[in-house]
Amino acid sequence: MLTVLHYVADAMWILAMALIASTSHGALKRVPATVKMPMWGGVRLARNLALGIMFGAPLLIGLGLSATSSAGGLDGQSALILFLLRVTLAGAFATVCLTWLRGSLRTLEDEGAVRA
């Protein structure tokens, strides 16, 4: 049963990362390399750095949680809590990244800095 939970949580992370990667790839095509993308708090970062952070942070956290889950030595309750944490964070990261990207692209469209 614990193995099934591990695979289900991995599948959720894979789906979340695929969503983030797909939309980031679309943004790479639309946003010129010289444009700085708005982040939170009014900070602007270079396009590649901003998209790299928004993809890299969930990837590293997901890999860390997956390693913790597969390390073994977890009792049933701990494994269930870790499963729920992984599934919740996968959805939360996808939602945050997609919301940020939509807002960022909308701001850049208003400024006339993106391609159609």
Side-chain angles (χ1 to χ4, degrees), residues 39-85:
M39 301 297 278
W40 294 280
V43 175
R44 286 186 176 243
L45 296 175
R47 177 195 72 175
N48 292 340
L49 179 61
L51 292 173
I53 289 171
M54 295 308 285
F55 182 79
L59 178 65
L60 291 176
I61 291 171
L63 289 173
L65 289 172
S66 180
T68 302
S69 176
S70 64
L74 296 174
D75 61 347
Q77 185 177 6
S78 297
L80 181 62
I81 290 170
L82 189 58
F83 164 75
L84 294 173
L85 178 67

Side-chain angles (χ1 to χ4, degrees), residues 2-32:
L2 298 179
T3 305
V4 172
L5 293 180
H6 178 74
Y7 290 136
V8 170
D10 281 347
M12 294 299 293
W13 272 99
I14 290 168
L15 287 174
M17 294 308 300
L19 266 166
I20 295 168
S22 174
T23 55
S24 296
H25 181 69
L28 279 173
K29 290 181 179 180
R30 293 186 61 200
V31 178

